[in-house]
Amino acid sequence: MTSFPPALRVAIVGAGPAGIYAGNLLATAVLRRAQEPGGLPDADVEIDLFESLPAPYGLIRYGVAPDHPRIKGIVNSLHEMLDASTSSSRRTIRFIGNVEVGRDIALDELRERYHAVILATGAIRDAVLGIPGVDLPGSYGAADFVAWFDGHPDVARTWPLDASSVAVIGNGNVALDVARVLAKHAVDLRTTEVPDNVLEGLESSAVTDVHVFGRRGPADIKFTPIELRELGEVRDVDIVLYDEDFEGVDPAAAPNNQLKVMLRTLNGWRDRPAGTASRRLHLHFWHAPVEITGDGEVEGIRFERTRLATDGTDAVPRLTGTGEFRDYAVQAVYRAVGYYGTRVVDAPFDEARGVVPNAGGRVDGEAGLYATGWIKRGPVGLIGHTKSDALETITHLVADAEAGLLADPTTTGDVLDLLDARETAYTTWDGWLALDAHERHLGETHTHARERVKVVPREEQVAVSSRAVSRDDAYVR
């Protein structure tokens, strides 16, 4: 016999793809059980999606370069998941934005009000790169730069772009995003949703050369084919590669078609004649960062050349240093070596890994507490992985609910009553729709017509959103 609660109440902390996928999958799972023969016709679910920012979508809005049109498809999909729950006679998922768990409401206060809480806070901080000179002025985390050019409300409005030669450390998609935005001419970003303050900053950029460095060789790149292809389509930017990095690299020997395509793309660029563009984007491989150098500010960066070799005890080649060091004169360094999880106050946290310790999404030793997305498994994988990851967590949550392992809430009443009593300026889904319409109007009427112009200041986002916020934006009861 099942013990599934007739009205399952779940809070999700984080309204990025991980949180939205989890909410949608949970709502679908409960609905399916209610419709199954011999199921639970009265089963219902109420899901509150808490977000520290005024707007939803997380890293899709604030972590992806503005010149990626394919991201619009992902946003549309996420929008439909949330909007569909508001179009029925019974609202399933509520978006509650501008509310930070640990600041505006405690995790324990959520756990008192819900059968379960799912942590989906992702990872927005840069991972540490432990080399000398990393703290010199002119050394930047890629996450901070991405947040700036994506108009994150909690970062400075300006960014120093007075370096003519810059280094980007990393061989993943974030490194390519950073490198492409730095190398690209601002005029070619005018049709994107890039905020005006960012466009103004990029228009005054002094960059002429962007160097991207990877520890491993071309056969181990972590890009995706579309990211790499976009790099070669940037106007008035030459791609520069170095033959010594490709010794022994055979595209035909690549283990999968995706890598074969990328290696052929790289080889095609190598065969191009020397260009005459005003800017250059250099791709370097087999370079391990050793030290960022400079007297009071970044003046250069030192690398050790690397190679794959066996040590005699293991047949699997391992990355090792060659003892050859190279110095590059640069005035800025961007570290794109990964992200670090965003912890939730009072939730268990593994400092070494930057994740919530869990088994398949069940947080260790915490009945009724779950995790999904990057805070669950670390900052790896693409959007598709996030969806399958959420499915695992929701499957376990539903199983626990059916087994009677979820405690009933001990505090009744709507969480919005608590936020109202604290005069918290929360935003809602209707508020987001108002902000979305406002940004689209700004784009339509802008000097350079575009789909939208992002509103950057938090207070302005809240003000626009608040025009549509009312208690009517709650569950239909």
Side-chain angles (χ1 to χ4, degrees), residues 52 59-60 63 88 135 146 218 229 231 298 306 324 364 416 430:
S52 62
L59 280 180
I60 296 298
S88 64
D135 295 324
V146 171
R229 186 174 66 248
L231 203 64
V298 171
T306 60
E324 176 189 352
D364 295 352
L416 296 185
D430 287 343

Side-chain angles (χ1 to χ4, degrees), residues 44 420 428:
D44 203 355
D420 284 337
T428 66

Side-chain angles (χ1 to χ4, degrees), residues 123-145:
I124 60 173
R125 291 169 49 196
D126 286 288
V128 174
L129 177 63
I131 61 174
V134 73
D135 295 324
L136 280 172
S139 171
Y140 309 108
D144 293 333
F145 182 60

Side-chain angles (χ1 to χ4, degrees), residues 54-109:
Y57 308 141
L59 280 180
I60 296 298
R61 180 172 166 91
Y62 293 116
V64 179
D67 57 348
H68 278 328
R70 73 182 187 281
I71 295 303
K72 295 176 185 176
I74 300 173
V75 169
N76 290 340
S77 177
L78 297 176
H79 175 97
E80 289 171 3
M81 291 178 192
L82 292 180
D83 206 45
S85 78
T86 70
S87 60
S88 64
S89 60
R90 177 142 183 101
R91 187 180 298 269
T92 303
I93 304 174
R94 291 190 304 187
F95 170 72
I96 305 175
N98 204 43
V99 174
E100 183 174 330
V101 176
R103 179 193 67 193
D104 302 303
I105 189 170
L107 178 61
D108 284 346
E109 291 176 318

Side-chain angles (χ1 to χ4, degrees), residues 163-167 206-211 240 278-282 330:
S164 61
S165 185
V166 303
V207 70
T208 59
D209 290 83
V210 178
H211 298 262
V240 183
S278 65
R279 294 182 178 180
R280 289 155 295 281
L281 202 159
H282 308 252
V330 297

Side-chain angles (χ1 to χ4, degrees), residues 17-195:
I20 296 174
Y21 282 139
N24 183 64
L25 289 167
L26 177 59
T28 301
V30 174
L31 178 62
R32 184 184 303 119
R33 276 159 175 73
Q35 295 175 339
E36 288 175 351
L40 302 168
D42 296 327
D44 203 355
V45 63
E46 296 177 350
I47 303 165
D48 283 343
L49 194 61
F50 292 88
E51 171 57 52
S52 62
L53 295 167
Y57 308 141
L59 280 180
I60 296 298
R61 180 172 166 91
Y62 293 116
V64 179
D67 57 348
H68 278 328
R70 73 182 187 281
I71 295 303
K72 295 176 185 176
I74 300 173
V75 169
N76 290 340
S77 177
L78 297 176
H79 175 97
E80 289 171 3
M81 291 178 192
L82 292 180
D83 206 45
S85 78
T86 70
S87 60
S88 64
S89 60
R90 177 142 183 101
R91 187 180 298 269
T92 303
I93 304 174
R94 291 190 304 187
F95 170 72
I96 305 175
N98 204 43
V99 174
E100 183 174 330
V101 176
R103 179 193 67 193
D104 302 303
I105 189 170
L107 178 61
D108 284 346
E109 291 176 318
L110 291 183
R111 302 189 71 179
E112 291 169 358
R113 289 166 169 78
Y114 299 88
H115 291 91
V117 176
I118 303 173
L119 305 179
T121 49
I124 60 173
R125 291 169 49 196
D126 286 288
V128 174
L129 177 63
I131 61 174
V134 73
D135 295 324
L136 280 172
S139 171
Y140 309 108
D144 293 333
F145 182 60
V146 171
W148 174 73
F149 67 59
D150 271 331
H152 194 290
D154 298 334
V155 302
R157 302 291 184 268
T158 60
W159 190 275
L161 292 166
D162 51 359
S164 61
S165 185
V166 303
V168 179
I169 304 174
N171 250 183
N173 284 341
V174 174
L176 281 197
D177 275 354
V178 168
R180 193 181 62 258
V181 170
L182 285 169
K184 204 167 190 174
H185 293 274
V187 66
D188 296 322
L189 290 168
R190 285 179 178 174
T191 58
T192 73
E193 61 181 40
V194 63

Side-chain angles (χ1 to χ4, degrees), residues 31 39 41 79 110 112 120-121 123 128 146 157 227 246 263 267 283 297 376 407 451 477:
L31 178 62
H79 175 97
L110 291 183
E112 291 169 358
T121 49
V128 174
V146 171
R157 302 291 184 268
E227 290 274 355
F246 289 81
L263 290 177
N267 276 337
L283 297 180
E297 62 183 5
K376 168 189 173 183
E451 182 173 337
R477 299 189 184 279

